Amino acid sequence: MKILFIGGTGTISAACTQLALARGFELTLLNRGRQPAWPGARQITADIANPAATAAALGSEHWDVVVDYIAFTPADVEQRINLFRGRTAQFIFISSASAYQKPPAHFPITESTPLVNPFWDYSRNKIACEERLLRALQEENFPVTIIRPSWTYDERRITVPVNSKKSFTVVDRLRRGQSVIVPGDGNSLWTMTHNTDFAKGLVGLLGHQGAIGHAFHITSDEVLTWNQIYESVAVAAGAPKPRLVHIASDFITACLPEFAGGLHGDKAHTAVFDNSKIKRFVPDFVATTRFRDGIARSVKWFETDPSRQEIDAEANASWDRLIAEYERGLEKALQEFGR
Ligand SMILES: NC(=O)c1ccc[n+]([C@@H]2O[C@H](COP(=O)([O-])OP(=O)(O)OC[C@H]3O[C@@H](n4cnc5c(N)ncnc54)[C@H](OP(=O)(O)O)[C@@H]3O)[C@@H](O)[C@H]2O)c1
């Protein structure tokens, strides 16, 4: 099969590239070429945000499958519909599980859970993308399959909900025995998926004509609390027992509004998924990476090159400030209550 990935070298897509090549697919990657070219894949270097340059780079080729990892808005998918109309037998759109109803009214989350997220524009845009693509399916038989990943990580990211883009920052804090912020009581449930596990589901759907018109999430079946997740990161980092400061998401986002979408629209809610649909369509799909093992590999990746261990001093200062204010408030409350 002749496959095109738009992306192919990112957090989710790199593992799919690796597995698709291992399974012998003829794979082309379209991206801006900021990562080294992938051995075994054909490279098309283009910025998808430039429609004319992208159309010229793609020429009039036809594809068995196009997987688009980087469409975020209805305008993006409109461009893709125009670009691939009549030129692909399957178009896979990477949406997001954050599109599922928040707060969730029913567990576990299935693909029929309503798509309603009043808290995060990122998710509302993904919902609008899905709606536009399903309309294209109805009106012109555009062969869409929708994938909704939940938080999916690779070795280049330390995944805890209050962290910086320079994600080694939290490892450094844990190692220095500094407090780290955990949203809520840290007891809500979360599902963290390794990109190599996600890839098994995604690659299993490539060219699956029964999957046209269907949506799938692809996640691990390992369910952990945020406290367990922070503890696993601390163990992977060889840090002492972590000092977890539990702060309500409302309090965190009132002080640090940059976390509002990601917490209220996603990580402040329990996320437990029923993966039976992907297992029905891809019978050999099984997620095998436990978080404690995957995150240990991530810490190792950072350790093999000190230039990867960037620390976000500004984020550190604002977390210190938030923790200090929260603890001051608690002390004052204790005095007030005579405790
Ligand atoms: N990771 C998660 O936890 C998660 C969860 C839910 C949903 N998702 C969804 O999964 C998708 C992939 O996310 P990700 O984190 O794997 O992506 P990512 O790491 O940001 O990777 C993006 C890929 O696209 C390429 N790219 C970026 N901008 C481009 C442009 N303007 N033109 C051409 N190529 C471009 C990058 O290569 P170059 O930089 O070389 O161009 C890279 O190959 C997104 O749609 C996201 O919403 C992710």
Side-chain angles (χ1 to χ4, degrees):
M1 275 199 298
K2 202 176 147 197
I3 316 263
L4 173 69
F5 282 181
I6 304 176
T9 56
T11 309
I12 284 189
S13 54
C16 300
T17 295
Q18 190 161 29
L19 187 59
L21 288 171
R23 295 211 179 151
F25 292 115
E26 186 189 327
L27 183 63
T28 300
L29 307 183
L30 184 150
N31 55 50
R32 293 166 302 180
R34 294 189 176 176
Q35 304 288 329
W38 201 293
R42 179 179 146 213
Q43 169 74 23
I44 297 180
T45 304
D47 185 339
I48 194 80
N50 182 336
T54 304
L58 285 170
S60 56
E61 273 187 75
H62 281 66
W63 309 92
D64 293 303
V65 188
V66 174
V67 185
D68 188 347
Y69 293 91
I70 44 166
F72 296 94
T73 65
D76 293 342
V77 298
E78 203 65 54
Q79 179 212 7
R80 307 317 197 258
I81 293 167
N82 289 329
L83 203 50
F84 296 110
R85 178 178 285 121
R87 287 174 51 194
T88 185
Q90 186 183 28
F91 179 87
I92 299 185
F93 166 65
I94 307 296
S95 182
S96 167
S98 66
Y100 289 126
Q101 182 182 49
K102 301 287 175 307
H106 185 75
F107 288 102
I109 295 168
T110 72
E111 284 79 358
S112 354
T113 295
L115 302 181
V116 192
N117 190 329
F119 305 106
W120 204 5
D121 339 345
Y122 160 74
S123 317
R124 281 199 298 278
N125 272 318
K126 289 284 193 185
I127 296 168
C129 290
E130 289 196 21
E131 287 169 351
R132 176 62 190 102
L133 286 162
L134 289 174
R135 192 153 58 77
L137 171 76
Q138 284 159 8
E139 290 174 355
E140 49 177 303
N141 214 15
F142 191 75
V144 66
T145 295
I146 292 167
I147 309 291
R148 303 183 186 128
S150 187
W151 205 352
T152 304
Y153 67 107
D154 67 357
E155 69 281 3
R156 297 172 281 189
R157 193 68 51 86
I158 305 294
T159 44
V160 293
V162 180
N163 201 358
S164 155
K165 285 214 165 90
K166 295 175 181 171
S167 71
F168 192 76
T169 306
V170 80
V171 171
D172 180 61
R173 278 185 85 86
L174 287 163
R175 283 184 170 162
R176 286 188 287 112
Q178 276 193 295
S179 305
V180 292
I181 299 166
V182 183
D185 289 328
N187 288 326
S188 62
L189 300 175
W190 189 258
T191 302
M192 202 74 87
T193 304
H194 199 263
N195 67 346
T196 52
D197 284 330
F198 175 86
K200 295 179 214 166
L202 185 283
V203 171
L205 289 172
L206 295 178
H208 194 318
Q209 289 302 301
I212 306 291
H214 282 268
F216 303 85
H217 44 249
I218 303 171
T219 78
S220 169
D221 287 325
E222 183 187 46
V223 176
L224 298 169
T225 65
W226 284 122
N227 288 336
Q228 289 173 314
I229 287 170
Y230 277 85
E231 280 155 13
S232 294
V233 175
V235 169
K241 190 172 166 44
R243 294 174 55 200
L244 306 180
V245 179
H246 296 109
I247 306 183
S249 296
D250 282 346
F251 194 105
I252 297 172
T253 60
C255 300
L256 307 177
E258 63 272 26
F259 287 103
L263 286 179
H264 296 304
D266 200 28
K267 299 168 189 71
H269 305 280
T270 280
V272 176
F273 299 91
D274 173 353
N275 278 300
S276 48
K277 187 172 179 185
I278 186 66
K279 289 173 187 168
R280 263 196 323 277
F281 278 69
V282 182
D284 62 355
F285 170 72
V286 58
T288 50
T289 306
R290 292 177 65 182
F291 181 68
R292 58 152 214 210
D293 300 328
I295 205 67
R297 298 218 287 270
S298 305
V299 171
K300 212 166 259 161
W301 181 85
F302 281 97
E303 273 169 351
T304 51
D305 181 350
S307 73
R308 294 172 179 165
Q309 298 170 22
E310 282 183 283
I311 306 296
D312 187 337
E314 208 178 306
N316 255 334
S318 84
W319 302 338
D320 284 340
R321 220 167 125 212
L322 180 64
I323 292 168
E325 288 309 322
Y326 180 76
E327 288 180 341
R328 219 189 320 275
L330 181 60
E331 255 168 52
K332 194 156 176 268
L334 289 175
Q335 281 164 16
E336 201 65 40
F337 282 81
R339 313 257 169 212

